[in-house]
């Protein structure tokens, strides 16, 4: 009898332990409740994640049931209590504000992108010290970017794009040393672009469609693979010294700014570079190398259209072995079309990519079009992709 009683007691304790192990931490449940309560009820439509949240049941105990179909993830991380480790809302068109108090020390991913959250970014996001991904893209957030986000030392991806954020990038962002991807495009941000040189792991930076002014940053992380700062108010010269260390850079887009002076030839020397877009600026000349670029450049596409470039068309693009797309439209070039352009288009040397897209319209070119170009058959891919027009 004593043995049976002990067995029953052991089983009861085991079952109690299971219940305790799966119980959601009180702070996490409160956050989920506040998140739902902050929403406009009309935006919580049937079939959406938050519509299914029924707090008469324990969230983590009922995750993926008909009571909590989706939206977050739980893990038993401490003292047998389940904590939120991921909060990723569906793009259901939720409207409302984000909770003010975030006390989720085990949260690793927070993503509420593609909704209509308004108000400011909560300062209390600084409590999310284990966060590696923060996604606030495509909402209606306003105010400035809190400098307190710089305390998120584990952050690897930060998406603030397509909101109504204003003000500068906090200089404290240099503390985000694990950051790999930073997207802030399509806001109302202003001020100068800080160097961010301490972000040794940053490979993707997009600051397009804002109001940043000043010059191109004097120092950027050498790890960068892609930079986009298009459609801002950046100006001044593009200094070669600010580019030479970017040995991993593959794509650069600085179009739609006010850069002037010379397009530095150092840009085309970057060993990994494939695409250069500098259209719609005020560049007045292209630096010409003192040596042949053959077999030294991996650039595939160059767009220098809609600038103030003058003089004769540069010869070196015809010597770039992988260059297949060149746009020099709407500038002030004069003279004749170089024979080298025609040869690269029609009779490229072995190992040399032909021009598949060559745009020279809107310049002050004169003289005969090279006969090799004139001999191309109408309807061929080359003829369809080449546009040559003289003012």
């Amino acid at each position: 009898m004593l043995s049976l009683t002990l067995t029953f007691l052991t089983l009861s304790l085991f079952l109690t332990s299971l219940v305790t192990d799966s119980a959601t931490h009180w702070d996490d449940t409160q956050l989920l409740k506040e998140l739902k309560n902050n929403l406009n009820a009309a935006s919580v439509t049937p079939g959406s994640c938050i519509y299914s949240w029924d707090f008469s049941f324990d969230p983590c105990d009922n995750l993926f049931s008909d009571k909590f179909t989706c939206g977050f993830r739980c893990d038993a991380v401490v003292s047998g209590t389940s904590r939120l480790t991921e909060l990723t809302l569906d793009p259901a068109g939720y409207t409302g504000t984000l909770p003010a108090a975030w006390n989720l020390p085990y949260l690793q991913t927070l993503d509420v992108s593609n909704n209509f959250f308004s108000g400011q970014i909560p300062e209390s996001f600084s409590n999310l010290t284990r966060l590696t991904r923060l996604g606030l893209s495509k909402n209606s957030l306003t105010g400035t970017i809190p400098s307190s986000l710089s305390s998120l030392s584990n952050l690897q991806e930060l998406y603030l794009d397509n909101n109504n954020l204003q003000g500068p990038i906090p200089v404290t962002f240099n503390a985000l040393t694990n950051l790999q991807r930073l997207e802030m495009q399509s806001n109302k941000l202003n001020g100068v672009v800080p160097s961010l040189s301490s972000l040794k792991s940053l490979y993707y930076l997009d600051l397009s469609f804002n109001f940043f002014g000043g010059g191109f940053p004097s120092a950027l992380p050498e790890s960068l693979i892609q930079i986009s700062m298009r459609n801002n108010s950046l100006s001044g010269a593009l200094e070669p010294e600010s580019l030479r260390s970017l040995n991993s850079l593959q794509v650069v887009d600085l179009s739609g700014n006010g850069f002037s002076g010379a397009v530095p030839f150092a840009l085309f020397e970057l060993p990994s570079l494939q695409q250069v877009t500098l259209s719609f600026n005020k560049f007045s000349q292209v630096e010409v190398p003192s040596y042949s670029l053959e077999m030294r450049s991996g650039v595939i596409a160059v767009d220098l259209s809609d600038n103030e470039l003058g003089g004769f068309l540069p010869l070196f693009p015809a010597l770039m072995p992988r260059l297949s797309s060149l746009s020099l439209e709407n500038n002030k070039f004069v003279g004749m079309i170089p024979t080298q352009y025609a040869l690269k288009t029609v009779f490229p040397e072995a190992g040399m990519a032909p021009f598949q897209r060559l745009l020279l319209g809107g310049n002050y070119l004169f003289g005969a079009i090279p006969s090799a170009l004139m001999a191309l058959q109408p309807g061929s891919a080359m003829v369809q992709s080449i546009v040559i027009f003289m003012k």
Side-chain angles (χ1 to χ4, degrees):
M1 183 69 178
L2 179 60
S3 175
L4 183 61
T5 301
L6 289 173
T7 300
F8 178 79
L9 179 60
T10 301
L11 181 60
S12 298
L13 290 172
F14 176 72
L15 292 175
T16 301
S17 174
L18 286 179
V19 171
T20 302
D21 285 347
S22 59
T24 310
H25 192 280
W26 185 85
D27 286 341
D28 297 17
T29 301
Q30 290 304 112
L31 186 282
L32 293 176
K33 287 181 178 178
E34 186 177 355
L35 179 59
K36 184 171 183 176
N37 290 337
N38 279 15
L39 297 179
N40 181 343
S43 71
V44 184
T45 55
S48 66
C49 282
I50 294 182
Y51 185 84
S52 71
W53 293 1
D54 181 353
F55 292 102
S56 61
F57 298 85
D58 182 88
C60 293
D61 271 351
N62 292 275
L63 186 56
F64 304 125
S65 71
D66 59 347
K67 306 303 178 185
F68 292 92
T69 58
C70 57
F72 59 93
R73 171 183 169 180
C74 299
D75 286 297
V77 293
V78 61
S79 302
T81 303
S82 290
R83 303 299 305 255
L84 263 66
T85 55
E86 180 177 337
L87 179 54
T88 303
L89 298 184
D90 51 331
Y94 301 120
T95 61
T97 59
L98 294 169
W102 290 76
N103 186 24
L104 302 175
Y106 293 91
L107 196 68
Q108 298 172 20
T109 299
L110 172 59
D111 197 333
V112 298
S113 300
N114 297 286
N115 283 290
F116 298 100
F117 285 101
S118 58
Q120 299 189 1
I121 299 173
E123 291 277 353
S124 60
F125 276 177
S126 60
N127 297 329
L128 308 178
T129 54
R130 284 183 171 85
L131 206 65
T132 60
R133 177 188 171 94
L134 176 57
L136 304 176
S137 302
K138 297 181 181 177
N139 279 285
S140 301
L141 298 172
T142 56
T144 59
I145 300 171
S147 60
S148 58
L149 292 183
S150 60
S151 65
L152 304 180
S153 58
N154 292 304
L155 200 63
Q156 298 176 10
E157 300 176 55
L158 178 56
Y159 302 91
L160 303 178
D161 56 283
N162 292 277
N163 281 285
N164 292 306
L165 299 172
Q166 301 177 0
I169 299 175
V171 293
T172 54
F173 267 30
N174 268 297
L176 299 174
T177 54
N178 288 305
L179 199 63
Q180 298 176 12
R181 191 177 183 104
L182 177 58
E183 297 198 28
M184 296 183 171
Q185 67 269 25
S186 300
N187 279 288
K188 299 176 182 177
L189 301 173
N190 55 32
V192 299
V193 179
S195 71
L196 303 176
S197 56
S198 64
L199 307 186
K200 304 297 186 182
S201 299
L202 191 68
Y203 71 87
Y204 187 96
L205 175 64
D206 195 339
L207 305 179
S208 303
F209 295 95
N210 279 289
F211 298 99
F212 290 114
F216 188 78
S218 59
L220 286 171
E222 297 180 12
S223 54
L224 278 168
I225 293 176
Q226 183 165 339
I227 300 173
S228 182
M229 299 182 185
R230 64 183 304 178
N231 289 83
N232 278 283
S233 299
L234 301 173
S235 61
L238 194 57
E239 299 294 343
E241 291 74 19
S242 63
L243 301 168
R244 287 197 174 101
S245 64
L246 303 178
N247 291 325
S248 299
L249 192 63
Q250 296 180 10
V251 177
V252 58
D253 187 346
L254 304 178
S255 59
N257 282 286
F259 288 113
S260 58
V263 176
F265 184 71
L267 188 61
F268 303 105
E269 293 180 297
L270 296 177
S272 300
L273 195 64
Q274 298 180 19
Q275 182 176 326
V276 179
T277 305
L278 301 178
S279 56
F280 292 95
N281 278 285
K282 298 179 181 179
F283 289 110
S284 57
Q285 60 178 310
V286 181
E287 284 188 0
V288 178
S290 57
Y291 54 86
S292 172
L293 257 191
E294 190 170 358
M295 303 306 294
R296 303 184 68 165
S297 174
V299 176
I300 296 172
V302 173
D303 187 350
L304 302 179
S305 62
D306 294 276
N307 277 281
E308 299 175 5
L309 301 173
F312 297 114
L313 291 171
L315 296 181
F316 72 84
L319 304 176
M320 297 170 70
R322 297 186 62 194
L323 187 65
S324 60
S325 176
L326 176 63
S327 179
L328 300 175
E329 287 183 293
N330 301 321
N331 280 288
K332 298 178 180 180
F333 288 114
V334 298
M336 301 177 66
I337 299 172
T339 303
Q340 290 89 335
Y341 281 34
L343 294 177
K344 181 174 171 64
T345 303
V346 184
F347 305 113
E349 297 180 6
M352 182 76 70
F355 280 137
Q356 296 181 356
R357 179 179 174 85
L358 178 60
L359 304 178
L360 305 177
N363 283 288
Y364 296 98
L365 304 178
F366 58 83
I369 296 176
S371 59
L373 294 179
M374 296 296 291
L376 289 172
Q377 294 298 315
S380 70
M382 288 296 184
V383 170
Q384 291 174 353
S385 63
I386 297 174
V387 179
I388 299 175
F389 175 77
M390 287 74 157
K391 287 180 180 176

